[in-house]
Amino acid sequence: MTNRFTIVTLAATAVLMTLTRPAGAAAKQANPAHLVEATAPRDASEPIMAIVSIKSQQVTIYDADGWILRAPVSTGIKGRETPAGVFSVVEKDKDHHSNLYDDAWMPNMERITWSGIALHGGPLPGYAASHGCIRMPYDFAENLFGKTQIGMRVIIAPNDAEPVAFSDPKLFVPNADALTAAPARAETLADEAANAAKAADEAKAAATLAARGAAAAPAAVRKLEFLKTRADAELAFAEKLLAAAKTDEDKARAEDARQKVAAKAADFGTQLDTATADAQAKRDAAAAAQTAAKAAEAKRAETAAAARDAKLALEPVSVFISRKTKKLYVRRGVQATIEVPITIRDPDKPIGTHIFTAMARTDSGLRWTAVTIDDGDDAKDALDRITIPQDVLDRIAPTAVPRSSLIISDEPPNREQNYRTEFIVVLNNQPQGGLAMRKPASDIVARGNDWGGYGYGYARQYGGPYGGTSYYYPRW
């Protein structure tokens, strides 16, 4: 019975695959050139970008000197298409399993959106067959996984695209002196930030102690006021007794009592004056300590921001210019640092989507390439329509390093972009069913990652049979 059930299930599956195979799939599968993996005949350095061609069902990996690896892929089927656009690797998982697709094995997974689009090893029937991910040959995915780092650019093009050498005076030109000084500056500012943080903590503790002292002082004043009032009342009564005394003996006794009460009242008066002055001094000290604590906290924030910016200056800078929002955005690593309005000539005219990448240092600055993946201007004309504010250039250009990039697009930042991604730009004139079916990740939590880069992963946390260190998404 079990064997018959298995045979029937397999047969049904085969029929279903035949019915759902895209038109022209047999022709694509029969194309032997499409199924060939290739490795460049030279020593390769660390990958800088991956370009996936949906049209050719192929991925090509590039280092600073050109392509290094190439393989067939299988992207999303109709209705669940792999979105075309600009992404980067945000997480790596050597042995990932899907909680949406029946524990499907997705080995050597390199996530490019938190909602579940990724590159990973998988079966390649010779045509688009996934639910939005980019399947690669198993061995190829394993080889690539060991070479890439978090943050590697992933460009998904609707047609064939490749980086071409590009130069333009508008692209960032680093300053050699600034680059040389950047590490020491980052270390110095980190020390200043640490000292400022320590000083702020000490000032806060001092302010807390002073506030407690100031809060306790009024009680002592109130007690002495009560004692002084009572002593004054006793003195008044003693004076009445003295006035009423008839004999010398009564007068002497009343006078003696009056003097004792007067001395006590005078002593309480002195103590009250001292306590009142002390309370005022403590209030003044508490106010001064609070002011000092606020100043120290402001110094902490200022030095922390400076230290953060100095540390980020060691990272590649990414700039995104959107014709849709008419804004320029800057990120270092995945940290947003600048967002300003920008001038684009002919703002109603399409500009296309272009990715300019600094591939390596040169004697004069940086060597750049350009990749165009959407209709509009060519790369040079697109750059000519942009005016980057000089103050922005002054902040980012001096310390620009290889892997820095400039993206120009008609599109706005995509909903998948958040505080733990690089820029995500999706072409809205292309089908993106594989992205539309997924909800952006929420309830974000962090975990370590042993595969290089920033070492963080963000997603929903799930229990279940896959162990305590795996994190899964509700739509993947």
Side-chain angles (χ1 to χ4, degrees), residues 136-412:
M136 303 178 291
Y138 288 105
D139 290 344
F140 181 89
E142 183 175 16
N143 181 32
L144 181 64
F145 189 91
K147 299 179 184 298
T148 58
Q149 297 291 333
I150 299 294
M152 183 189 75
R153 177 77 71 206
V154 178
I155 300 170
I156 303 176
N159 298 301
D160 295 338
E162 62 180 357
V164 296
F166 189 88
S167 63
D168 192 283
K170 284 192 173 183
L171 295 175
F172 321 136
V173 179
N175 179 281
D177 292 338
L179 286 173
T180 301
R185 181 172 181 272
E187 184 176 353
T188 297
L189 291 176
D191 290 342
E192 290 181 5
N195 292 335
K198 181 180 178 181
D201 289 339
E202 292 173 349
K204 182 178 179 181
T208 299
L209 186 61
R212 287 174 183 168
V221 172
R222 287 193 297 271
K223 180 179 179 180
L224 287 168
E225 286 175 340
F226 170 76
L227 294 174
K228 176 68 167 58
T229 300
R230 188 170 68 178
D232 288 342
E234 290 175 355
L235 178 60
F237 181 73
E239 289 175 344
K240 285 182 180 181
L241 289 177
L242 177 61
K246 301 299 183 179
T247 66
D248 291 342
E249 184 180 355
D250 288 342
K251 289 178 180 180
R253 192 163 43 246
E255 176 61 24
D256 183 59
R258 188 195 68 80
Q259 289 181 4
K260 290 179 179 179
V261 173
K264 185 168 65 171
D267 183 53
F268 282 142
T270 301
Q271 291 184 49
L272 178 59
D273 291 342
T274 301
T276 301
D278 181 62
Q280 184 59 50
K282 287 181 177 179
R283 285 194 294 271
D284 293 343
Q290 185 64 28
T291 300
K294 288 181 179 179
E297 191 60 37
K299 183 69 172 178
R300 184 214 296 263
E302 178 186 345
T303 56
R308 181 205 64 182
D309 290 346
K311 183 178 180 180
L312 290 176
L314 305 177
E315 300 280 350
V317 59
S318 294
V319 177
F320 172 41
I321 296 172
S322 167
R323 186 178 69 87
K324 177 71 173 180
T325 63
K326 296 180 177 59
K327 286 186 177 181
L328 177 148
Y329 310 85
V330 178
R331 291 194 171 202
R332 291 274 193 174
V334 295
Q335 299 296 311
T337 59
I338 300 173
E339 178 179 329
V340 295
I342 193 167
T343 300
I344 302 176
R345 191 177 72 248
D346 300 327
D348 296 328
K349 174 186 173 185
I351 202 169
T353 297
H354 315 273
I355 306 96
F356 304 90
T357 306
M359 305 299 284
R361 286 192 175 94
T362 66
D363 292 340
S364 59
L366 294 168
R367 174 164 55 81
W368 293 80
T369 63
V371 179
T372 296
I373 62 171
D374 194 16
D375 293 336
D377 289 334
D378 63 26
K380 179 170 177 49
D381 289 343
L383 197 56
D384 286 344
R385 288 173 59 188
I386 302 299
T387 302
I388 300 179
Q390 188 60 47
D391 63 322
V392 174
L393 282 174
D394 291 342
R395 288 178 62 181
I396 65 177
T399 54
V401 294
R403 296 176 181 271
S404 294
S405 61
L406 168 63
I407 302 168
I408 299 174
S409 180
D410 294 306
E411 308 294 349

Side-chain angles (χ1 to χ4, degrees), residues 443-454:
D443 298 336
I444 293 180
V445 294
R447 71 180 175 97
N449 188 308
D450 297 330
W451 300 102
Y454 305 109

